[in-house]
Amino acid sequence: MTKAHVTTSVNGDPYEFLCEPGETLLTVLRDDLQLTGTKEGCGSGDCGACSVMLNGRLVCSCLVLGVEAEGADVQTVEGIGNKDSLHVIQEKFLEHAALQCGICTPGLIVSVKALLEENPNPTEEEARYYLAGNLCRCTGYDKIIRAVLDAAQTMKEESAI
Amino acid sequence: MVSVVYEAPNSIDEAVRLLKESEIPARVLAGGTDLIIQNNSTEDQSRLIVDVKKIDGMLEAKFSKDGLELGPSMCCAELTARGDIKQIFPGLVEAAYLIGSTQVQGRASIGGNLCNASPAADTIPSLIANKAVCIISGSDGERNIAVEDFVTGVGTNCLRVGELVKLIKVPMPSERSSDAYLRFIPRTEMDIAVAGAAVSLALDDDDVCVSARVAIGAVAPTALLVESAAACLIGTKLDVVALKNAARAASESSSPISDRRGTAEYRRHIVGVLVKRAAKIAMQRAQGEKV
Ligand code: FES
Ligand code: FES
């Protein structure tokens, strides 16, 4: 099987990789590019742990082929905040204890960022619907939703300054 | 896992040639939300995947004087954000909005939903109710097929080897008309229809229904156009009796199975209820109400 050569951009950095044409973007990110922040929960589009932005759109990276990243702009959780300065969403997840085992968290952070970019002022219901594709086995969602609404509020206040 | 040969042609002609000449089983890739999962479970040794998203027009939607010209690979997230489409086909947009999660809608397309031909596909009843037509390209040229004739069974469609859906055309509805789609699921999100119903109708100035199309999903091997249900609505003001008759006609034409989502008896009943409710919503929308 001939491998495909793909040139892409991940979190603003140029990347080149070789992959099997049937390999998913999730596998490429984790196994080839060593960007293991993106998680695999189900591999079938049901859990959202693998959420990334592809050309500005929230998608499950387990439902994208690596070869489809050719010429694309990919954003993963690694591009959101860093060790020394967390993104507001990440801070609020910590503050509200919106994670336990943490496997769902990177996907949620990516999705929440997408939500707040589309809708900076979501109601609880809107947030719950938007995030319905991010499953969490631990928290019962309540703390996640509190963190999201608090992050929205804080981001609004910060942008008002 | 199947071994994949991937091609992303720039033109319909090239896509048709690749599909036609392939010596291994070939599949069209649009959003991939069904196909990529099937790749992991297929019996095929190898597969040609023809990604059609680089072909001009596949990801676009525009209105002409005849109606909506929908690129079959446009993702549902883009479609549902299009106010111009929602204004004219609110039911079609609400069907697209019900597919999977936000993430899935970021990839899943109407053309994919149609070609995958699941009995429970949410957009198919809406397309049928709105008289949508598939423009199919193949090596012998183009042919047009009404959506109700496109799906031939559970997971099968009328595409021949070397053919693909190039465009979906939805005719412009007349004045004072609208549509609605409802599905029943036991949860609030992220589920597959137990039953679904789409209604598109037009009213005259006295609010009498002058034309209607009713389509039902998840209650037969394919989504069905139910002309007998539409006939119960036409010529009425959608009074209680007319709605009850339409519901009964829809229930009678269904042939559901029992599975873990619901018994056949339950589905047969509920699909009638959905027809009744969708008809009412379509009527209110046709009268200019925001529902
Ligand atoms: S791993 Fe992609 S949705 Fe679960
Ligand atoms: S924190 Fe464990 S799955 Fe969400």
Side-chain angles (χ1 to χ4, degrees), chain B residues 53-105:
Chain B
K53 294 192 292 298
K54 299 222 159 66
I55 300 172
D56 245 11
M58 274 288 172
L59 300 174
E60 280 155 31
K62 59 175 194 287
F63 280 97
S64 72
K65 63 176 194 329
D66 302 329
L68 175 64
E69 301 191 349
L70 178 64
S73 303
M74 174 188 263
C75 75
C76 291
E78 192 168 347
L79 180 80
T80 55
R82 284 277 297 264
D84 56 338
I85 302 177
K86 193 167 177 187
Q87 196 184 344
I88 297 180
F89 300 111
L92 178 59
V93 168
E94 68 200 348
Y97 186 70
L98 289 173
I99 296 177
S101 58
T102 313
Q103 287 87 333
V104 168
Q105 286 165 21

Side-chain angles (χ1 to χ4, degrees), chain A residues 1 51 63 68 111 130 134, chain B residues 3-4 36 53 102-103 107:
Chain A
M1 175 58 49
S51 298
L63 295 183
E68 288 183 89
S111 301
Y130 194 95
N134 288 89
Chain B
S3 92
V4 166
I36 292 173
K53 294 192 292 298
T102 313
Q103 287 87 333
R107 293 269 293 167

Side-chain angles (χ1 to χ4, degrees), chain B residues 146-166:
Chain B
V147 169
E148 57 269 32
D149 301 323
F150 179 84
V151 178
T152 51
V154 177
T156 58
N157 61 48
C158 72
L159 291 178
R160 306 181 192 122
V161 173
E163 284 188 329
L164 77 160
V165 177
K166 174 190 163 184

Side-chain angles (χ1 to χ4, degrees), chain B residues 171-221:
Chain B
M172 195 63 103
S174 54
E175 291 284 305
R176 303 204 83 217
S177 57
S178 196
D179 70 332
Y181 174 74
L182 289 175
R183 75 169 180 193
F184 176 77
I185 54 173
R187 317 178 61 215
T188 54
E189 260 287 79
M190 298 279 292
D191 207 345
I192 295 169
V194 174
V199 175
S200 155
L201 50 77
L203 307 175
D204 69 9
D205 290 335
D206 299 321
D207 286 344
V208 174
C209 173
V210 288
S211 69
R213 285 177 54 104
V214 174
I216 54 179
V219 289

Side-chain angles (χ1 to χ4, degrees), chain A residues 99-105 135-139:
Chain A
L99 65 156
Q100 290 176 32
C101 78
I103 192 101
C104 68
T105 314
L135 304 189
C136 174
R137 192 66 185 86
C138 305
T139 63

